[in-house]
Amino acid sequence: MNQISRQILFSRNEIQKRVQELAGQISKDYAGRELVIIGILKGAFIFMADLVRDISVPCKIDFARLASYGSGSESSGKVVMTKDIETSIKGRDILIVEDIIDTGLTLQYLIDWLKERNPHSLKICVFLDKRKRRKVSFEADYVGFTIDDGFVVGYGLDFNEQYRFFPDVYVIDTN
Ligand code: IMP
């Protein structure tokens, strides 16, 4: 607990406002359609739960689990799928919901995987976009906030499985 910096990067009120804006945009873009929303475990679970409750188009929910961080704050660079989706996505409109893009390797892996199943469309919604460390050229369609380099926790994001339950987002010193 004492390694958490006292300064909140995004407060729960800022987050709530931004999530409502994103949900409004998504609802507008998909008006008259039905979405399949795929959350990436574990980090996206809180963001996704808030987002879907503000989206006004009908949606089905599924989850995938991908791992690239063994422990600590450095990516191993190797992505592994440890839980696949259970919904048929052929011909469907898919929205992937992720907590954060860092190198982009995790999302690139999932996109390649899902595209092989021929969805009608595939878009990405991320809570946080850490642009500086990108290793693959990649843009999300919906972004909550863009952040600088630095390790963040809270609102679903963890450091060694700690701090996910914090309602606000903090930067921590991982050194
Ligand atoms: P990428 O494959 O490098 O884009 O990494 C994406 C994954 O790394 C995310 O789903 C997170 O689980 C994790 N990650 C990257 N940066 C952070 C961070 O600042 N805090 C917590 N998790 C992070």
Side-chain angles (χ1 to χ4, degrees):
M1 185 76 97
N2 56 5
Q3 68 188 146
I4 296 276
S5 82
R6 291 293 162 200
Q7 202 182 351
I8 291 173
L9 186 60
F10 301 113
S11 71
R12 62 197 81 183
N13 291 339
E14 284 174 277
I15 294 169
Q16 187 188 33
K17 186 169 169 280
R18 186 68 191 120
V19 170
Q20 283 168 354
E21 286 168 2
L22 286 175
Q25 187 62 52
I26 292 165
S27 304
K28 217 166 122 191
D29 294 350
Y30 288 93
R33 291 146 79 184
E34 188 191 58
L35 266 173
V36 177
I37 301 190
I38 300 175
I40 307 186
L41 295 170
K42 301 179 192 171
F45 81 110
I46 294 178
F47 176 45
M48 179 160 165
D50 284 348
L51 191 70
V52 297
R53 283 179 291 174
D54 277 324
I55 288 179
S56 58
V57 295
C59 48
K60 291 195 169 136
I61 305 295
D62 206 340
F63 293 96
R65 180 140 196 235
L66 296 135
S68 66
Y69 279 67
S71 63
S73 62
E74 282 302 312
S75 171
S76 65
K78 187 174 173 340
V79 181
V80 201
M81 178 175 275
T82 56
K83 188 213 167 295
D84 197 357
I85 55 166
E86 291 155 24
T87 309
S88 167
I89 61 165
K90 189 169 180 216
R92 309 297 308 269
D93 291 311
I94 310 303
L95 182 67
I96 300 174
V97 175
E98 170 67 311
D99 56 354
I100 186 165
I101 319 183
D102 185 10
T103 62
L105 292 169
T106 305
L107 274 174
Q108 194 58 65
Y109 181 96
L110 183 63
I111 288 164
D112 293 345
W113 179 274
L114 295 179
K115 275 192 174 163
E116 281 185 20
R117 297 178 188 186
N118 300 313
H120 174 252
S121 70
L122 184 58
K123 285 193 178 181
I124 316 291
C125 176
V126 290
F127 174 54
L128 299 175
D129 189 352
K130 210 193 266 185
R131 304 187 66 91
K132 279 193 185 156
R133 301 192 345 143
R134 204 71 104 247
K135 287 191 181 151
V136 286
S137 94
F138 187 85
E139 295 293 333
D141 301 280
Y142 306 97
V143 175
F145 301 97
T146 300
I147 61 168
D148 292 329
D149 208 1
F151 204 81
V152 292
V153 297
Y155 199 63
L157 291 132
D158 75 309
F159 176 61
N160 284 346
E161 292 301 326
Q162 298 179 90
Y163 317 127
R164 287 193 199 277
F165 60 93
F166 287 178
D168 311 285
V169 170
Y170 298 80
V171 180
I172 58 164
D173 179 6
T174 56
N175 296 314

